[in-house]
Amino acid sequence: MKTLLIGNWKQNIGPEEAGKFCQTYKELTKEKHIHKRIETAIAAPYITIPYTGELPSYIFRAGQNCSEFRLGAHTGEIDASWLKSVGCKYCIIGHSERRKLNNETDDMVFNKYRNLIACEIEPILCIGDVSKDGSPDERIQAILSQLRFYSQETSLWIAYEPVWAIGSGEVPTYEWINTVTDEIHRLLPNSRVLYGGSVNEKNAADIMANTHIRGLLIGGASLDAKKLYTLERNVEDKLYGRR
Ligand code: PGA
């Protein structure tokens, strides 16, 4: 099974900057073709997605969000089916920034989940603990409570992103990542867990090699084509050996 790496560009790369990113990335991958054993997707801002066409064809597209509603009078919203029509294979939902800045609740995120499934897009559900305060048990319960609507779902991508690790340079211990991953698997045995929060080209391979996760959600380090490419190569070399 492939390792999944999702680059989350957030509100950082617009249509103009996307061309430069794609060009640099393409040049780098000419040197050495990766992606035999890893799959990479870029979650660009909605309006940037059509400007990522210059990326190599084996890089998948992803959305960062979608509407919790279907077509209709919802000004400013983007229908899940439109993400499909611009080629998205995946879509992130419930990112902690959206939960915080847009007051997204677990119910709203579940509506988005259902819309994506209806449009045959694979949702990447983000969950996480807001702080390091509290006992491990309390923190685990807070994390798992965000999964309460998904007990019937058979194959779910879950991105465990501790809110305190996002953009902070701080990564939890491998032991903690494994504890959370194992608890998620206990609750939802067929789920596939990604880790996100301060992943970069230097720590990505070790995080992958020392934990039970299936991939990574990468924010800041995915904004620079060279860093993303180095990260991918480091992960591939460490997990699958140099070819
Ligand atoms: P970061 O962001 O890698 O910059 O910490 C991760 C995320 O928010 O998905």
Side-chain angles (χ1 to χ4, degrees):
M1 243 175 290
K2 285 190 174 184
T3 298
L4 180 59
L5 304 178
I6 309 258
N8 178 10
W9 283 357
K10 307 189 181 183
Q11 193 183 341
N12 287 304
I13 299 191
E16 279 181 29
E17 299 84 42
K20 198 160 157 258
F21 180 100
C22 297
Q23 201 51 46
T24 311
Y25 189 85
K26 215 162 99 179
E27 287 299 317
L28 290 164
T29 48
K30 255 191 218 153
E31 245 174 63
K32 183 174 189 283
H33 185 84
I34 34 180
H35 305 103
K36 278 225 170 81
R37 309 291 294 273
I38 58 177
E39 179 164 316
T40 303
I42 295 288
Y46 294 135
I47 200 164
T48 305
I49 296 171
Y51 294 86
T52 57
E54 284 292 304
L55 286 174
S57 55
Y58 49 83
I59 304 287
F60 290 92
R61 309 285 181 285
Q64 294 179 11
N65 178 40
C66 71
S67 176
E68 67 164 311
F69 309 108
R70 295 312 308 269
L71 297 173
H74 309 293
T75 303
E77 294 292 343
I78 298 286
D79 197 79
S81 66
W82 301 340
L83 292 177
K84 185 77 180 174
S85 62
V86 293
C88 289
K89 177 175 180 185
Y90 301 99
C91 181
I92 298 168
I93 46 170
H95 191 280
S96 63
E97 286 154 14
R98 294 204 59 83
R99 291 180 190 261
K100 184 165 177 233
L101 300 172
N102 302 74
N103 300 316
E104 283 190 8
T105 62
D106 290 335
D107 297 78
M108 291 159 76
V109 174
F110 187 54
N111 289 338
K112 293 169 191 241
Y113 173 85
R114 283 196 299 212
N115 291 344
L116 290 167
I117 294 291
C119 295
E120 297 178 338
I121 294 175
E122 297 187 42
I124 314 271
L125 171 65
C126 298
I127 59 170
D129 37 346
V130 176
S131 87
K132 283 187 282 186
D133 299 339
S135 70
D137 270 0
E138 284 166 344
R139 285 168 63 197
I140 294 284
Q141 285 323 311
I143 295 164
L144 297 185
S145 75
Q146 294 162 64
L147 294 173
R148 65 192 178 284
F149 298 137
Y150 300 88
S151 56
Q152 306 299 319
E153 304 309 317
T154 47
S155 120
L156 178 62
W157 287 105
I158 295 167
Y160 168 54
E161 296 207 296
V163 179
W164 47 271
I166 294 176
S168 66
E170 197 181 352
V171 175
T173 60
Y174 302 141
E175 193 190 359
W176 178 253
I177 295 175
N178 280 337
T179 301
V180 174
T181 306
D182 295 348
E183 289 293 339
I184 294 172
H185 284 149
R186 214 189 311 276
L187 186 69
L188 300 171
N190 295 319
S191 59
R192 294 160 290 178
V193 182
L194 310 177
Y195 168 76
S198 294
V199 174
N200 59 40
E201 69 283 13
K202 297 191 187 85
N203 62 17
D206 284 338
I207 298 173
M208 282 304 305
N210 289 289
T211 62
H212 309 153
I213 55 168
R214 285 281 309 281
L216 299 163
L217 186 51
I218 308 138
S222 74
L223 301 177
D224 179 317
K226 192 142 193 252
K227 278 190 187 164
L228 181 64
Y229 176 73
T230 307
L231 187 157
E232 292 173 296
R233 280 193 62 168
N234 289 347
V235 169
E236 188 165 75
D237 288 349
K238 181 111 185 180
L239 296 188
Y240 308 112
R242 282 177 192 276
R243 284 169 294 120

